[in-house]
Amino acid sequence: MKPLRTVRSLSPSRRRRLRFSEVLSGAVLAVLLALSLLPFAMMLLLSLKTNADIFTRFWGLPQPARWDFYRDAAIALKGYLLNTLIVTAVVVPGVLLFSSLSGYALARLHFRGRDGVFALILALLVVPGILTLIPTYALVQSMGLLNTRWALILPYLAGGQVLGVVLCRTFFTSLPDELFEAMRLDGAGDVQIYRHLALPLSLPTLATIAIMTTLGIYNDYIWPLVTISDSSLQTFTVGVTRFSGEFNLDYGPTLAGYVIGSLPLIALFAIGMRAFVQGVTSGALKA
């Protein structure tokens, strides 16, 4: 009621300017939303067309819609999607566990060199990933892990922790000291404090890390390409490229494959968007 009384108390000219500002803001947001969704809408539309239909009626509706392209793409890409999901299912819980433990130790435990260790971890954020490609490849090769799932899991697990540790440490540092002192007075140790206090409070931050780690794994193309030669172990990003080659630039099945590959990420954002936004607004990305 209070905002309504405030608006009514304005002069008529002020209210007209306010309504115009709201309408203009809504129009700008609608245009930005339409521009954001246009590529995905076009991908959906073109995925139901043959090459001849695309070249002759680019903006028109498919006549007829080729739903069998989705069947062909799903059959060809299901193995690559499964491999990506397996790697993600192993890496993400590991990144969350090690990041939260390391972040808690760097934020709440007092030991010599703590700030120096965190500074070194923070410095890793400015190192471009492409610079570590050859050293990481040599390390994985020396361990005899090339062309195995471990060649993907271990580097992703190690590399994903850098940002996770920084975010968790920043979040745990921002929590009031009184919360931790109260549990210590009740006789709780660090493990109990981590499990029953720090971990539940950090769920939005962990959700942010989980989504960012999943996106990093899902969109990575170079590392799976250079370390995995067996197609039965290959991930989706490389697999969908091979799939398009198999169909000799038949755009319909290729775009259908891209749509199928987008579905897990859409489901992830639909489930975790609330926690992701909460994690961002609660300070997860202030580091």
Side-chain angles (χ1 to χ4, degrees), residues 46-83:
L46 297 179
S47 67
L48 298 172
K49 294 182 176 181
T50 60
N51 278 2
D53 205 9
I54 291 174
F55 294 137
T56 56
R57 302 176 62 256
F58 184 81
W59 297 103
L61 294 175
Q63 292 180 353
R66 297 297 301 270
W67 295 105
D68 55 315
F69 288 167
Y70 280 85
R71 181 198 60 205
D72 298 337
I75 293 173
L77 296 175
K78 63 180 180 181
Y80 301 122
L81 270 175
L82 181 61
N83 291 331

Side-chain angles (χ1 to χ4, degrees), residues 15-185:
R15 276 186 285 178
R16 283 195 295 272
R17 287 198 297 270
L18 182 60
R19 291 196 190 96
F20 176 76
S21 176
E22 292 175 347
V23 171
L24 181 62
S25 301
V28 171
L29 290 176
V31 171
L32 293 177
L33 179 62
L35 292 176
S36 301
L37 294 179
L38 181 60
F40 192 76
M42 289 305 301
M43 184 170 66
L44 282 173
L45 182 65
L46 297 179
S47 67
L48 298 172
K49 294 182 176 181
T50 60
N51 278 2
D53 205 9
I54 291 174
F55 294 137
T56 56
R57 302 176 62 256
F58 184 81
W59 297 103
L61 294 175
Q63 292 180 353
R66 297 297 301 270
W67 295 105
D68 55 315
F69 288 167
Y70 280 85
R71 181 198 60 205
D72 298 337
I75 293 173
L77 296 175
K78 63 180 180 181
Y80 301 122
L81 270 175
L82 181 61
N83 291 331
T84 303
L85 294 177
I86 291 174
V87 173
T88 304
V90 175
V91 171
V92 171
V95 168
L96 296 181
L97 176 63
F98 294 131
S99 298
S100 59
L101 285 173
S102 302
Y104 179 83
L106 291 170
R108 290 295 165 184
L109 301 185
H110 299 281
F111 54 89
R112 182 178 298 178
R114 184 186 67 170
D115 294 337
V117 172
F118 180 67
L120 291 175
I121 295 174
L122 197 60
L124 292 176
L125 287 178
V126 302
V127 179
I130 194 68
L131 292 182
T132 63
L133 181 65
I134 295 178
T136 307
Y137 181 86
L139 178 62
V140 171
Q141 185 183 34
S142 66
M143 296 172 68
L145 298 178
L146 288 180
N147 207 28
T148 67
R149 284 201 175 95
W150 292 110
L152 302 175
I153 292 173
L154 293 180
Y156 286 149
L157 191 58
Q161 292 182 54
V162 177
L163 181 60
V165 170
V166 173
L167 296 181
C168 286
R169 191 261 187 189
T170 304
F171 176 76
F172 291 141
T173 304
S174 68
L175 294 177
D177 294 334
E178 291 77 8
L179 292 175
F180 296 87
E181 293 302 325
M183 289 201 68
R184 292 188 191 281
L185 290 176

